Amino acid sequence: MEPGGTPARCHDVSTTPPVLAAELAQAWADIQRHHPELPDLAAPESLIGESSSACGAELSFERLLHEAVHGIAAARGVRDTSRAGRYHNRRFLAIAEEMGLDHSDEPHPSSGFSLVTLSPEAKRRYRPTIERLQRALKAHTAATAADTKRSFRGPAARHGSSGGGVRVKAVCDCGRNVRVVPSVLAQAPIVCGGCGKPFRIPEAVGAAS
């Protein structure tokens, strides 16, 4: 089933960000089927083209499941990180293990248990989802590279910005922050996994951008 209860359909792998965002939403819905308390993903398009230093990984199903751990923690009212969201504590690890993520090493001094990996059981459970998302990501990456070769996208793109604009800092009330293109944030709220409140661009920063 699609998010919202509509019947599932065959997915054409597209290279456009909106369809990749739909693939991410579908993968999130697959996780929700196993974990019904997981809230909806507010803005899947915000993940496209972004790496996460907290997760230590580029966009992938493993990264998406990591984000889902924060979603479950927020739904339960569990404080799973500290140090402005960088340090992932043992409460994070406990939920991660529930959801099929492993962490075999000791906690990292600065990021804690953030570098979790898919367990063999999770790989089996989500194999069709993983394969579908990998195809979509591969196609998107190839199209992005081709577009860069044949078109001029401006200085922001040359310096690694995604989304056709310069990223600015968005903050939430608990003190966590993310770098985001303002136009992406304007499409839909990006919800903090720590406190469940939306990130916002401070007025002074928004005016400067």
Side-chain angles (χ1 to χ4, degrees):
M1 301 288 286
E2 296 284 356
T6 57
R9 61 182 184 276
C10 294
H11 288 260
D12 294 323
V13 175
S14 172
T15 59
T16 61
V19 178
L20 178 54
E23 293 287 352
L24 289 166
Q26 177 63 34
W28 190 268
D30 292 346
I31 300 171
Q32 286 179 311
R33 280 196 284 273
H34 294 281
H35 303 279
E37 65 182 309
L38 177 63
D40 291 339
L41 182 60
E45 65 277 2
S46 68
L47 298 174
I48 299 173
E50 297 280 352
S51 63
S52 171
S53 58
C55 302
E58 297 292 334
L59 184 55
S60 64
F61 181 78
E62 191 171 80
R63 159 90 183 279
L64 198 65
L65 197 58
H66 179 127
E67 299 291 348
V69 174
H70 291 306
I72 292 286
R76 295 178 181 177
V78 172
R79 188 176 179 84
D80 62 340
T81 64
S82 57
R83 304 177 194 174
R86 293 187 300 274
Y87 190 88
H88 293 55
N89 58 35
R90 291 188 181 276
R91 290 185 288 274
F92 169 86
L93 180 60
I95 299 174
E97 289 174 343
E98 285 181 39
M99 300 184 71
L101 290 166
D102 290 335
H103 191 288
S104 57
D105 301 326
E106 291 297 312
H108 188 276
S110 61
S111 61
F113 295 98
S114 68
L115 301 181
V116 286
T117 58
L118 284 170
S119 68
E121 180 183 353
K123 288 179 181 178
R124 289 191 296 270
R125 177 188 305 160
Y126 293 110
R127 180 176 296 170
T129 303
I130 293 169
E131 291 176 349
R132 188 181 66 240
L133 186 57
Q134 284 177 336
R135 288 195 299 271
L137 287 165
K138 184 177 180 180
H140 176 74
T141 300
T144 302
D147 179 65
T148 300
K149 291 176 182 177
R150 66 172 178 262
S151 63
F152 176 76
R153 301 175 65 193
R158 294 199 303 275
H159 291 285
S161 178
S162 66
V166 177
R167 298 189 188 104
V168 299
K169 184 170 72 173
V171 301
C172 74
D173 292 343
C174 71
R176 300 179 72 194
N177 65 79
V178 296
R179 305 291 295 187
V180 64
V181 177
S183 61
V184 172
L185 189 62
Q187 294 174 17
I190 299 175
V191 178
C192 173
C195 67
K197 294 182 179 180
F199 286 98
R200 55 183 175 78
I201 299 174
E203 290 184 9
V205 175
S209 63

